[in-house]
C-alpha cells in the first residue's frame, strides 16, 4: 500500500486551530485586548461594527512590532512571550500559545498597522485567509492597530451559526467587562457602530467597577482584603441585601486573568450562607494573586479555567476572608458567625404569631349544588373561566375528613406565608375539596380518583398563559404607582431593557424614562407588587442574556416564562384552601394544563382503579 499520511498545509492547520480559539467575535475581542495588554498599553480602544461580524478593531499605545515581527506574529506558534517550557511556570502575560493571530488571520480579513516607539516608520500589513496581501511602510502613531473584518468569510457554516448582532455584542460586552475589570490601571474606550458605549479612565478597582456597572453600585460594595503566604485576596463583595435572583456580577480574577471556578464560587456562597436566601446569588469582584508557579492555566483552550496547586487551602481562606469582611463592615453581627442554623427561626416565620393549626371541613357542602364556589378575586390572582372543571369534582364524602381516609396525611397549618395568594375569604376555607401536601402539592379529587398537582409548576402554567395572552393581544392593564419607582441598572442592562421594552409595556409596565443608568417606572402589571419590580427586571435581564434571542416570538416566550417563574408560588409556601381551589380552577382552565412552561409535568392522576390494585 502506498503511503497516505501527509502534513496538512499551514493554512488548513490554521483554520482548524482557529476553530478552537475563535468561536465568535467575542473570542477575537478577547485575544486582541489581551495582546494589547501584554504589549504594555496604557490606553486601549475597542471599535465594533455589527456585533463584530464586520469589524473588530483594537488600537493600543503599547510597544508595537518591528517589520519582521509584524510578519512573524501571524505564524503559528510564534510568540515573544515564552521561549522554553519552564517559562510557563512564571507567566505574567495573558498570551503564550502564539496561536491567536495565526488563527484569526486564517478566517478573516486582517489589517494591522504597528510601530515601536523608537522607529520612525510603521508597518502596514494586510492578510486574508492566511495569505499576506501586502506589507508596506506607513506613517502611524506608536503602538498597534489591528482590524479584523468579515469574520468567518471563508467558513460560511461558522458565519451562519453566529447569532444576531445584539447577541454577539452582548458577548463582546461581557468579554470587555472582564478585561476592563482585570486592568483598572489601563484606560479603555469602547465604540459600537459609531457610538461610545464605555469610556473608562485609568482608575482603581472600586472606581472601575462603578464606572462599568453604574454609580449605584458604589453603596453595594464591601471591600475584601487579605494577605497570606499563599495568596493575596482583594476586591469587593456586594452586601447581602443586594443579592440578585440571577447570576450576574460574579467575577474571579487570578493574577489579573478572569477565570471561572465553580469551586471557589462555592467558597463565596458558603461565606454568605444564612445571609441570603438559598436561591439568591451574591455579587462579587474578587482578585486573587498567587505565585504563577502554583497554578496551571494551560488546561482549557480559551483559558478561563485554572488549576490550583492547593485548592482546599484557597477555598478555606476565601471563605473566611469574606466572612470576616461581612462581619467587619457590620453587615452581620460579628458574633453570629457560628450560630447553629438549625436553631434559627425560618425567615418567613420571624414576625408571625403562633397559631394553632386548624382544619375545618364543611360537612354540609354539596358539590352538586348549582352555585360554584367563589374563588378569591384578589388583585394578584386573576380569576379565569372555570367552565367545565367543577364538573369533575365528586367532592368529599361528608364523614370523610381528617379522621378516616386521610388521617395519616398531615394537613398544613393555615398560617399564610404564601405572599401571592391572599388570606382566605370567609366561607371558602370550609370547603375541603382540596388539601395541600407537604407545602408542595395540592391534592384534589376527580370523578375517577384524585389528582396530585405540583403547586409551583401549576402556577407557572397559569401565569405563563396569562402573560402570553396579555402580550399577544396587548390587553394588559397597568397599576398606576403613586410614586414613580426609580431604579438603576448598568449600561448593558439598560440596553437589554430597551430591547424588550415594548413587550414589557404590553404586559402593563409603564416606563416614563429610560436613560443613562436610570429607569423610571410609573406603572406595573397588577400581578407584580411594587417591591418585586426590581427583582423581576433583574431576572428578565439575566434570562435574556442567557437566552440571547432576537426574534420577537421567542422574546415574548422568554418574557412570559421568566415572569411566570419569578412570580409563581414556590414549593414550601403554604396555601390556604381558597388559594388551593383557585389554583386548581385556573390550572384546568389553561390550554395546556399538563405541562409547565418548562416542559415538566404539572400533575399526576391516581385513579380509583390504581388504588384498588394496591389493596389486592
Ligand atoms: P501570543 O499572545 O500567545 O504570544 P499571538 O498570536 O496573540 O500570540 O501574538 C503573537 C505575537 O505577536 C505576540 O507574542 C506579540 O509578540 C505580538 N503581538 C501581538 N499583538 C501585539 C500588539 N498589540 N502589540 C505588540 N505586539 C503584539
Ligand atoms: Mg495573544
Amino acid at each position: 500500500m502506498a503511503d497516505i499520511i501527509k502534513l496538512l498545509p499551514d493554512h488548513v492547520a490554521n483554520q482548524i486551530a482557529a476553530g478552537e480559539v475563535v468561536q465568535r467575535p467575542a473570542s477575537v475581542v478577547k485575544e486582541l485586548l489581551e495582546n494589547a495588554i501584554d504589549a504594555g498599553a496604557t490606553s486601549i480602544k475597542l471599535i465594533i461594527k455589527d456585533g463584530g461580524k464586520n469589524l473588530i478593531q483594537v488600537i493600543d499605545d503599547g510597544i508595537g512590532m518591528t517589520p519582521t515581527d509584524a510578519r512573524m506574529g501571524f505564524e503559528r506558534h510564534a510568540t515573544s512571550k515564552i521561549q522554553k517550557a519552564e517559562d510557563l511556570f512564571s507567566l505574567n502575560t495573558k498570551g503564550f500559545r502564539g496561536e491567536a493571530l495565526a488563527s484569526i488571520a486564517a478566517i478573516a480579513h486582517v489589517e494591522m498597522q504597528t510601530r515601536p516607539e523608537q522607529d520612525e516608520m510603521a508597518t502596514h500589513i494586510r492578510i486574508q485567509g492566511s495569505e499576506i496581501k501586502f506589507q508596506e511602510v506607513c506613517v502611524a502613531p506608536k503602538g498597534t492597530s489591528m482590524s479584523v473584518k468579515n469574520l468567518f468569510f471563508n467558513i460560511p457554516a461558522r458565519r451562519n451559526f453566529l447569532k444576531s448582532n445584539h447577541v454577539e455584542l452582548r458577548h463582546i460586552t461581557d468579554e470587555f467587562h472582564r478585561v476592563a475589570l482585570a486592568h483598572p490601571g489601563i484606560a479603555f474606550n469602547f465604540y459600537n457602530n459609531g457610538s461610545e458605549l464605555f469610556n473608562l479612565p485609568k482608575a482603581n478597582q472600586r472606581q472601575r467597577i462603578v464606572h462599568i456597572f453604574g454609580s449605584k453600585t458604589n453603596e453595594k460594595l464591601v471591600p475584601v482584603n487579605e494577605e497570606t503566604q499563599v495568596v493575596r485576596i482583594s476586591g469587593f463583595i456586594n452586601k447581602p441585601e443586594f443579592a440578585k435572583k440571577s447570576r450576574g456580577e460574579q467575577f474571579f480574577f487570578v493574577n489579573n486573568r478572569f477565570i471561572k471556578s465553580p469551586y471557589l464560587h462555592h467558597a463565596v456562597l458558603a461565606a454568605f450562607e444564612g445571609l441570603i436566601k438559598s436561591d439568591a446569588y451574591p455579587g462579587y469582584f474578587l482578585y486573587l494573586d498567587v505565585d504563577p508557579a502554583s497554578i496551571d492555566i494551560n488546561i482549557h483552550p480559551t483559558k478561563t479555567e485554572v488549576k490550583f496547586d492547593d485548592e482546599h487551602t484557597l477555598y478555606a481562606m476565601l471563605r473566611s476572608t469574606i466572612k470576616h469582611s461581612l462581619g467587619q463592615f457590620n453587615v452581620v453581627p460579628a458574633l453570629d458567625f457560628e450560630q447553629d442554623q438549625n436553631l434559627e427561626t425560618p425567615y418567613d416565620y420571624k414576625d408571625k404569631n403562633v397559631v394553632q393549626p386548624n382544619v375545618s371541613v364543611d360537612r354540609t357542602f354539596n358539590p352538586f349544588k348549582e352555585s360554584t364556589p367563589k374563588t378569591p378575586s384578589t388583585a394578584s390572582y386573576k380569576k379565569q373561566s372555570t367552565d367545565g372543571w367543577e364538573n369533575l369534582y365528586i367532592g368529599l364524602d361528608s364523614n370523610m375528613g381528617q379522621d378516616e381516609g386521610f388521617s395519616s396525611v398531615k394537613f398544613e397549618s393555615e398560617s399564610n406565608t404564601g405572599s401571592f395568594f391572599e388570606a382566605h375569604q370567609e366561607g371558602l376555607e370550609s370547603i375541603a375539596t382540596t388539601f395541600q401536601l407537604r407545602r408542595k402539592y395540592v391534592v384534589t379529587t376527580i370523578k375517577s380518583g384524585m389528582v396530585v398537582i405540583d403547586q409551583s409548576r401549576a402556577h407557572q402554567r397559569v401565569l405563563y398563559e396569562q402573560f402570553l395572552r396579555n402580550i399577544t393581544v396587548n390587553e394588559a392593564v397597568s397599576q398606576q404607582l403613586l410614586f414613580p419607582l426609580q431604579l438603576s441598572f448598568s449600561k448593558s442592562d439598560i440596553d437589554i431593557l430597551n430591547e424588550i421594552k415594548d413587550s414589557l409595556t404590553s404586559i402593563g409596565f409603564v416606563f416614563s424614562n429610560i436613560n443613562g443608568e436610570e429607569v423610571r417606572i410609573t406603572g406595573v402589571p397588577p400581578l407584580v407588587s411594587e417591591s418585586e419590580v426590581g427583582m423581576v427586571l433583574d431576572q428578565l435581564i439575566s434570562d435574556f442574556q442567557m437566552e440571547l434571542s432576537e426574534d420577537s416570538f421567542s422574546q415574548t416566550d422568554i418574557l412570559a416564562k421568566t415572569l411566570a417563574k419569578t412570580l409563581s408560588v414556590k414549593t414550601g409556601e403554604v396555601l390556604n384552601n381558597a388559594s388551593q381551589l383557585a389554583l386548581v380552577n385556573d390550572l384546568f382552565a389553561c390550554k395546556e394544563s399538563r405541562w409547565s412552561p418548562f416542559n415538566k409535568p404539572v400533575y399526576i392522576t391516581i385513579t380509583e382503579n390504581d388504588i384498588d390494585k394496591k389493596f389486592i
Side-chain angles (χ1 to χ4, degrees), residues 5-6 15 80 163 201 281 377 426 533 567:
I5 299 180
K6 294 194 180 65
Q15 242 185 49
S80 55
K163 297 271 171 82
Y281 295 96
S377 67
E426 260 177 74
V533 175
L567 298 171

Coordinates of all heavy atoms in Angstrom, one line a residue, residues 5-6 15 80 163 201 281 377 426 533 567:
I5 N -0.2 9.2 4.5 CA -0.2 10.3 5.5 C 0.6 11.5 5.0 O 1.7 11.4 4.5 CB 0.4 9.8 6.8 CG1 -0.5 8.7 7.4 CG2 0.4 11.0 7.8 CD1 0.0 8.1 8.7
K6 N -0.1 12.7 5.0 CA 0.6 13.9 4.6 C 0.5 15.0 5.7 O -0.5 15.0 6.5 CB -0.1 14.5 3.3 CG 0.1 13.6 2.1 CD -0.3 14.3 0.9 CE -0.2 13.4 -0.4 NZ -1.1 12.3 -0.3
Q15 N -6.7 27.0 10.0 CA -8.2 27.1 10.1 C -8.7 26.2 11.1 O -9.7 26.5 11.8 CB -8.7 26.7 8.7 CG -9.5 27.8 8.1 CD -10.2 27.4 6.8 OE1 -10.8 26.4 6.7 NE2 -10.0 28.2 5.8
S80 N 6.4 36.0 21.4 CA 7.5 36.7 22.1 C 7.5 36.4 23.6 O 8.3 36.8 24.3 CB 7.5 38.2 21.8 OG 6.2 38.7 22.3
K163 N -25.0 34.5 16.1 CA -26.3 34.9 16.5 C -26.5 36.4 16.0 O -25.6 36.9 15.3 CB -26.4 34.9 18.0 CG -26.3 33.5 18.6 CD -27.7 32.9 18.7 CE -27.6 31.4 19.0 NZ -27.5 31.1 20.4
P201 N -11.7 55.8 32.3 CA -10.4 56.3 32.5 C -9.6 55.4 33.4 O -10.2 54.5 34.1 CB -10.7 57.6 33.2 CG -12.0 57.4 33.9 CD -12.8 56.5 33.0
Y281 N -28.2 35.0 44.4 CA -26.7 35.0 44.1 C -26.0 36.2 44.6 O -26.5 37.3 44.2 CB -26.6 34.9 42.6 CG -27.1 33.6 42.0 CD1 -28.4 33.6 41.4 CD2 -26.3 32.5 41.9 CE1 -28.9 32.4 40.9 CE2 -26.8 31.3 41.4 CZ -28.1 31.3 40.8 OH -28.6 30.2 40.3
S377 N -61.1 36.7 44.6 CA -60.7 37.6 43.5 C -59.8 38.7 44.1 O -60.3 39.5 44.8 CB -62.0 38.2 42.9 OG -62.6 39.1 43.8
E426 N -63.9 34.6 53.7 CA -64.9 34.0 54.6 C -65.7 32.9 53.8 O -66.1 33.1 52.7 CB -65.9 35.0 55.1 CG -65.5 35.5 56.5 CD -66.5 36.6 56.9 OE1 -67.6 36.3 57.2 OE2 -66.0 37.7 56.9
V533 N -40.7 44.6 41.7 CA -40.3 45.1 40.3 C -38.8 45.0 40.0 O -38.4 44.4 39.0 CB -40.7 46.6 40.2 CG1 -40.2 47.2 38.9 CG2 -42.2 46.7 40.3
L567 N -42.7 34.9 39.5 CA -43.8 35.4 40.3 C -44.6 34.2 40.8 O -45.6 34.4 41.6 CB -44.7 36.3 39.5 CG -44.1 37.6 39.0 CD1 -45.0 38.3 38.0 CD2 -43.8 38.5 40.2

